[in-house]
Amino acid sequence: MAHSGYFDSPWPCEDAGPSRLQTPHNTACLNLKPGTKLACTSRSTRMSTMTVLGAPGEVFLLTHSAIRARLGLPTTAQVSRIDPLTLETLESSPRLEGGPMWPGGMAVHANGHIIVVYGRFAHKLNRHCQPVASYLLPRHEPYNSFVVLGNGLIVTKNLSATTPAQLTTLHPDTLKVASSDVVCPEASIARLSAHGNTVYVVGVSRVFRYHWHAASQQLKRDPDWEFHYLRDAPQSYGWDMVIDGEHGWFMDNGKHNYMVSMLGAGRHKAANRLIRVSLHNAQSHQSWEVSGLPYGSISNPPLIDLKRRIVVGYDSANRHLRAWKIDAAHNGNEHDVELTPLWHHAQFGAASHMLLFAKTGELCVNDYSRFNEQVLVLDIETGEEKGRVQTGGRMQGVVFPSVGWHQDFYWCSMDRLARIYVPSLMLN
């Protein structure tokens, strides 16, 4: 079922929900057969970030400007409703105020409106992409998207490696503050995650969480749940956390110098790690090296297959993608897990958020080599390639895919939007 704070669609927001499971809220699948060829319709874009789905047939695209940021000028974002098959723009918003540049976020809220956080502004639009309300966020820094809690409230934060993260909670109907801001104990690069009315923050060295306290109408930090994942570790900060109901999963060594791709972009000599922390007891935590190679780096979350108990991690800088089976640990700690290797692809340029068709175990990932973006469908249990297609993109995608309405899915990279589909599928 869709998360209660969001519109009831297969993919109403980035990663399909605030737990970042990257799986549609229906039984959609490609159901690729041996020998099936994938097809691609694509168009060039300027800094596309994500597509999300509203009512049947509605597809919304978020893009933003970037060159102005290099000149020290404020940037803007734009929301467009596009044709689900041709990708043609059907209607668009005016340029939305932003300011400092960073890929923002968009969602269709349960109240039916589109919410956008970009730069230091939050915007509310109707489904014809016309602005209804805006709110200037407090920090003069970019805000990297938002989550919607189960009660419908919107929570966002500034992105910085030095300024402490500041959580701002907005009411979805008025787009005004719903409570006083909360200053976190440290800065945070990663996007927020949420489960129910609890917000998870991956800071630059620790993870911590806040529960919405209805009586005081305030986010309250959980004093008993914190994990210092960089204590005695040489890696750099972590990125977005995936919440599977029992554990939080993320990867570290996230500092890099991405421009066109993540290839060779790592900044710290250590290998990047897959990290797990129990949601029930933060003292239960484990880490595993992904490739084991120096200067490993990523800018996105792992993927968890709840049905098959599989975790997929990657080292984008060194071009490694691998999967493990998740089992209960035999060390006497009820919250620990044991990972058994399933498959491993070297020389595989995965860097984007991913997409899993859970019914069939079809995992959608990108594979990038120099100025050549390809999108693949893999069997998540075996790693076997089921289909591959070129998107025409010259930059490596590091943003957000989504499912479509017609046994298809959309892939965003900074310079390209692509629709991936089975060409033999007849549409009436």
Side-chain angles (χ1 to χ4, degrees):
M1 294 179 61
H3 186 275
S4 58
Y6 294 87
F7 192 79
D8 185 12
S9 88
W11 203 280
C13 62
E14 63 196 49
D15 291 330
S19 295
R20 302 196 177 277
L21 291 171
Q22 302 158 80
T23 301
H25 304 297
N26 60 10
T27 57
C29 63
L30 299 175
N31 199 25
L32 294 179
K33 305 299 183 185
T36 301
K37 301 292 186 181
L38 290 173
C40 176
T41 298
S42 71
R43 53 170 273 201
S44 61
T45 60
R46 292 185 179 179
M47 310 307 285
S48 53
T49 302
M50 65 182 65
T51 50
V52 300
L53 306 185
E58 287 183 337
V59 183
F60 299 98
L61 170 67
L62 176 64
T63 58
H64 66 89
S65 58
I67 295 177
R68 291 173 58 85
R70 298 181 183 178
L71 304 175
L73 299 173
T75 63
T76 58
Q78 188 169 42
V79 176
S80 301
R81 186 171 66 85
I82 62 174
D83 186 281
L85 301 181
T86 67
L87 310 182
E88 175 188 1
T89 298
L90 302 178
E91 49 190 353
S92 293
S93 72
R95 302 303 306 187
L96 302 172
E97 284 190 277
M101 192 276 289
W102 187 265
M106 170 176 62
V108 186
H109 194 276
N111 64 16
H113 284 88
I114 300 168
I115 304 297
V116 173
V117 170
Y118 175 77
R120 62 174 300 198
F121 279 85
H123 299 280
K124 177 183 174 183
L125 295 80
N126 64 27
R127 301 257 280 287
H128 294 288
C129 305
Q130 295 308 299
V132 175
S134 296
Y135 181 79
L136 176 65
L137 294 160
R139 296 279 193 186
H140 186 63
E141 292 175 324
Y143 281 65
N144 59 341
S145 196
F146 61 97
V147 290
V148 179
L149 303 185
N151 58 22
L153 294 175
I154 298 161
V155 183
T156 184
K157 72 161 184 67
N158 56 307
L159 177 149
S160 174
T162 56
T163 307
Q166 182 168 323
L167 302 180
T168 298
T169 305
L170 302 176
H171 194 283
D173 295 327
T174 63
L175 215 60
K176 297 183 182 297
V177 291
S179 68
S180 57
D181 283 5
V182 174
V183 178
C184 298
E186 65 179 30
S188 171
I189 298 291
R191 294 181 179 227
L192 298 172
S193 302
H195 188 72
N197 291 324
T198 298
V199 177
Y200 289 84
V201 184
V202 177
V204 292
S205 68
R206 291 173 283 171
V207 296
F208 35 91
R209 67 186 178 191
Y210 292 81
H211 305 294
W212 178 257
H213 189 245
S216 64
Q217 292 290 287
Q218 185 72 43
L219 285 170
K220 298 284 188 180
R221 186 178 172 194
D222 186 338
D224 300 318
W225 196 88
E226 178 180 295
F227 165 39
H228 198 315
Y229 64 91
L230 289 187
R231 179 173 288 144
D232 302 321
Q235 283 82 2
S236 62
Y237 52 75
W239 283 86
D240 316 349
M241 181 183 286
V242 180
I243 309 297
D244 72 2
E246 297 292 328
H247 311 281
W249 300 83
F250 63 103
M251 293 183 289
D252 67 3
N253 229 26
K255 190 174 183 180
H256 55 74
N257 58 4
Y258 172 91
M259 289 294 290
V260 174
S261 81
M262 284 290 297
L263 306 184
R267 299 287 298 276
H268 276 59
K269 189 174 182 179
N272 76 304
R273 301 179 298 171
L274 172 69
I275 300 172
R276 178 208 64 85
V277 57
S278 169
L279 304 184
H280 305 289
N281 179 2
Q283 301 308 308
S284 168
H285 50 78
Q286 297 163 282
S287 65
W288 301 263
E289 290 185 347
V290 177
S291 73
L293 297 175
Y295 296 101
S297 189
I298 48 83
S299 54
N300 286 313
L303 182 137
I304 307 295
D305 184 339
L306 295 178
K307 179 180 178 181
R308 297 167 186 82
R309 302 300 298 158
I310 294 172
V311 56
V312 178
Y314 44 99
D315 173 358
S316 300
N318 289 308
R319 299 188 70 205
H320 282 258
L321 175 72
R322 65 185 307 176
W324 298 264
K325 181 75 171 178
I326 306 170
D327 294 305
H330 301 290
N331 61 3
N333 188 331
E334 63 175 327
H335 300 298
D336 282 2
V337 303
E338 187 173 292
L339 296 191
T340 303
L342 282 180
W343 50 265
H344 181 188
H345 291 317
Q347 299 303 305
F348 196 107
S352 181
H353 290 246
M354 298 182 181
L355 188 156
L356 173 67
F357 290 101
K359 179 181 177 181
T360 51
E362 293 169 311
L363 174 66
C364 305
V365 299
N366 59 340
D367 182 12
Y368 181 87
S369 56
R370 185 175 173 82
F371 304 127
N372 180 13
E373 173 96 309
Q374 298 185 43
V375 173
L376 284 75
V377 177
L378 303 177
D379 183 305
I380 196 170
E381 292 185 285
T382 66
E384 177 187 359
E385 183 177 317
K386 303 182 72 173
R388 176 189 291 256
V389 69
Q390 289 187 316
T391 68
R394 296 176 62 80
M395 299 178 70
Q396 185 176 29
V398 291
V399 282
F400 298 89
S402 83
V403 295
W405 292 106
H406 301 288
Q407 201 174 336
D408 54 3
F409 62 98
Y410 303 105
W411 202 269
C412 282
S413 59
M414 294 302 185
D415 64 339
R416 182 73 42 171
L417 170 65
R419 172 182 173 247
I420 315 298
Y421 63 99
V422 181
S424 60
L425 182 65
M426 301 298 295
L427 299 175
N428 296 319

